[in-house]
Amino acid sequence: MSKLLYITANPKNDLKLSKGMQIGEVFLEEFKAAQPDVEIERWHLYDMDIPEIDMDLLYARAKLSFMGYTKEQLSEAERSKLEKMHELADRFIAADYYVFVTPIWNLGAPSILKKFIDNLFIVEKTFTNTPDGPRGLLTGRKAIHIQTRGGIYSSGPMVDFEFGDRYVRKVFDFLGFESLDTVVAEGMDHFPKQIPEIMAKAKEQAAAAARVMAAETVISNDMKV
């Protein structure tokens, strides 16, 4: 059975408060209608115990990668945190399709998303180094990023200052994802009277993206038979 992982990075874990999650629910409803057999797993990052790249993890990775240590020679703290990192990465890798729902804050994504993504960069698990440079190992996966913006970043003077969606897209391109589309609802702080229209347009785009991903899921499953 295929799995879709739905990841939200907003402390407002409430549909009434989060416009991004409202758009995300439209995507899920449309996807489930087309692919009811696909398992959907929800991760709300603010409710998760996510390892942080601290001194223990820095040394654990260095010791194993180029200092000649074995896992058994790590300190208890190093080994425990490293195992938790690998466990989180393994759970992430187990999915086939992904939805990321985030706002843009201070030109970028919420810091908890960066903290989470740091756990996905594991040599020989999610990427490998080759003579031609690094190569992502998470191939064949598809994702969508739903991003809400108070300002306007798709055109005008702020275009070059959008580092949230740009970061997410580059990260998963590096890790080998086949595609990552984006649905954006922007300008809601600048044009509060237009919020209903902005949301309606984003929901339509999310529904269309869900139908596309669901159709690709059918093709992918047919190829496995």
Side-chain angles (χ1 to χ4, degrees):
M1 176 184 292
S2 297
K3 177 187 289 188
L4 184 149
L5 189 55
Y6 181 74
I7 299 173
T8 56
N10 191 322
K12 296 184 291 185
N13 189 17
D14 187 329
L15 282 178
K16 296 179 181 178
L17 301 177
S18 172
K19 293 180 176 61
M21 292 182 190
Q22 292 170 26
I23 299 168
E25 287 300 316
V26 170
F27 180 97
L28 291 182
E29 290 171 5
E30 195 74 22
F31 187 89
K32 286 189 292 186
Q35 280 295 319
D37 293 332
V38 173
E39 178 186 357
I40 295 177
E41 184 173 342
R42 294 171 180 260
W43 288 8
H44 184 61
L45 297 186
Y46 281 88
D47 291 340
M48 297 174 64
D49 182 16
I50 302 172
E52 185 171 6
I53 306 296
D54 59 7
M55 188 69 76
D56 289 325
L57 268 176
L58 280 176
Y59 271 100
R61 296 170 74 179
K63 287 177 178 179
L64 294 181
S65 62
F66 60 85
M67 295 175 67
Y69 283 66
T70 65
K71 188 175 179 180
E72 291 69 29
Q73 292 175 307
L74 300 179
S75 70
E76 183 177 346
E78 290 169 345
R79 185 166 54 253
S80 174
K81 292 178 181 180
L82 188 69
E83 288 174 349
K84 186 179 291 186
M85 168 184 273
H86 278 263
E87 178 184 356
L88 182 61
D90 287 339
R91 290 173 58 201
F92 180 86
I93 293 168
D96 305 282
Y97 305 92
Y98 302 81
V99 181
F100 302 93
V101 182
T102 77
I104 184 172
W105 288 349
N106 305 318
L107 309 182
S111 59
I112 197 166
L113 182 66
K114 174 64 164 61
K115 180 180 177 181
F116 167 72
I117 287 175
D118 280 344
N119 287 268
L120 305 180
F121 278 71
I122 302 177
V123 179
E124 304 308 330
K125 177 166 286 190
T126 60
F127 75 98
T128 187
N129 292 310
T130 75
D132 298 321
R135 176 174 57 84
L137 298 177
L138 303 186
T139 57
R141 290 165 169 81
K142 296 178 174 64
I144 185 168
H145 182 207
I146 296 172
Q147 187 191 58
T148 49
R149 305 170 176 174
I152 301 293
Y153 291 84
S154 61
S155 62
M158 296 301 291
V159 167
D160 292 336
F161 294 94
E162 195 290 306
F163 299 107
D165 180 58
R166 189 180 306 179
Y167 169 69
V168 172
R169 293 172 66 87
K170 288 296 184 182
V171 161
F172 292 104
D173 178 57
F174 177 91
L175 293 179
F177 273 49
E178 181 177 328
S179 64
L180 196 150
D181 298 323
T182 306
V183 170
V184 172
E186 67 176 359
M188 289 183 284
D189 290 347
H190 287 193
F191 307 105
K193 293 183 179 180
Q194 297 179 25
I195 288 177
E197 291 84 359
I198 295 170
M199 288 292 291
K201 181 179 178 181
K203 288 178 180 179
E204 288 177 4
Q205 293 174 342
R211 290 191 292 270
V212 171
M213 185 181 286
E216 292 173 343
T217 303
V218 172
I219 295 172
S220 177
N221 288 339
D222 287 345
M223 292 175 65
K224 294 177 182 178
V225 175

